[in-house]
């Protein structure tokens, strides 16, 4: 079967670093995506990992271990506007995205 | 920056009525998708469309649903006879052939009463 697990909620302090974990079980895996979704809005693309290792993009980094079925999203220098849901999703190339339930991150002062 | 657009932003309809949700994908994209998100739940895939035909559909996409690309720019989702449980946010997404990144539209909030 296909399954994606991520924590439901997390809270972190402005200026801090937070790591959001995602584990998945699937066949035909190609790549792991992270999307950000503010309440009532569309998901917006953050990152895509197809190879093992860390991809860094400004304040956001994403890590993938294919052998462990594990990924994380790392957010540095947290800002209040980073309060949102973070969606982990996988795809096997041309197939549609399979989303997890998302992690709701609250950034507090 | 090019973006996916969707109309209407909010649609209220009575149970049993037909609705058509419209999307204009990014112009050089060739892969199109519809997803839905029931309030408080995860984003779920409905259907993907490529080369003027459905390439994949989920169990949710039953005979009440249909998609069409009536011209070179629009991509529509039709629900023939809406049910209360069809109330959700419907997102259109598109993807370029050279990329795996899907760009999402702002969504249409469908409320069935």
């Amino acid at each position: 079967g296909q399954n994606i697990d991520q924590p439901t909620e997390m809270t972190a302090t402005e200026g801090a670093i937070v790591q959001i974990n995602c584990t998945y079980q699937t066949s035909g895996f190609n790549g792991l995506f992270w999307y950000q979704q503010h309440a009532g809005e569309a998901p917006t693309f953050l990152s895509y990992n197809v190879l093992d290792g860390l991809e860094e993009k400004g304040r956001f980094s994403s890590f993938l271990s294919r052998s462990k079925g594990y990924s994380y999203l790392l957010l540095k220098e947290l800002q209040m506007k980073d309060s949102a849901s973070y969606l982990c999703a996988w795809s096997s190339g041309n197939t549609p995205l399979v989303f997890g339930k998302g992690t709701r991150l609250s950034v507090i002062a | 920056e090019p973006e996916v657009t969707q109309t209407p932003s909010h649609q209220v309809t009575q149970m049993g009525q037909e609705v058509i949700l419209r999307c204009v994908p990014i112009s050089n994209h060739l892969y199109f998708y519809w997803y839905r998100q029931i309030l408080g739940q995860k984003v779920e895939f409905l259907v993907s469309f490529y080369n003027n035909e459905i390439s994949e559909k989920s169990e949710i996409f039953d005979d009440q649903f249909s998609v069409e690309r009536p011209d070179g720019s629009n991509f529509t989702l039709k629900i023939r006879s809406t049910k209360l449980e069809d109330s959700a946010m419907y997102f259109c997404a598109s993807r370029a052939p050279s990329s795996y990144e899907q760009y999402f539209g702002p969504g249409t909030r469908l409320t069935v009463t």
Side-chain angles (χ1 to χ4, degrees), chain A residues 52-98:
Chain A
D52 285 359
L54 190 68
E55 294 275 345
E56 297 189 72
K57 192 186 289 186
R59 292 191 299 116
F60 293 6
S61 304
S62 56
F63 172 83
L64 176 67
S65 168
R66 296 172 69 107
S67 62
K68 294 181 180 176
Y70 168 68
S71 172
Y72 67 73
L73 179 70
L74 195 70
L75 292 77
K76 303 175 188 175
E77 301 170 18
L78 279 173
Q79 301 173 10
M80 301 299 283
K81 66 178 183 179
D82 296 330
S83 292
S85 287
Y86 291 86
L87 315 180
C88 176
W90 70 265
S91 169
S92 61
N94 287 331
T95 62
L97 294 169
V98 178

Side-chain angles (χ1 to χ4, degrees), chain B residues 4-76:
Chain B
V4 177
T5 60
Q6 289 185 242
T7 54
S9 56
H10 192 185
Q11 172 99 41
V12 181
T13 189
Q14 288 190 325
M15 198 167 49
Q17 295 296 305
E18 174 183 287
V19 294
I20 298 177
L21 311 183
R22 291 183 164 78
C23 168
V24 179
I26 294 173
S27 62
N28 63 336
H29 287 189
L30 299 181
Y31 296 86
F32 313 121
Y33 307 85
W34 283 102
Y35 294 86
R36 80 170 186 192
Q37 187 175 32
I38 295 171
L39 186 64
Q41 298 187 23
K42 66 179 179 180
V43 178
E44 300 174 291
F45 165 70
L46 292 177
V47 65
S48 58
F49 194 87
Y50 171 71
N51 201 25
N52 285 321
E53 61 182 20
I54 291 174
S55 48
E56 194 168 340
K57 59 183 180 179
S58 72
E59 292 176 352
I60 303 169
F61 194 87
D62 61 21
D63 292 344
Q64 295 298 317
F65 291 88
S66 62
V67 290
E68 199 175 41
R69 188 156 164 81
D71 53 46
S73 59
N74 289 283
F75 179 50
T76 63

Side-chain angles (χ1 to χ4, degrees), chain A residues 30 33 35 48 91-94 97, chain B residues 95-96 98-102:
Chain A
N30 182 275
F33 296 79
Y35 278 77
Y48 172 58
S91 169
S92 61
N94 287 331
L97 294 169
Chain B
R95 177 171 72 84
S98 55
S99 169
Y100 290 121
E101 180 181 342
Q102 293 184 25

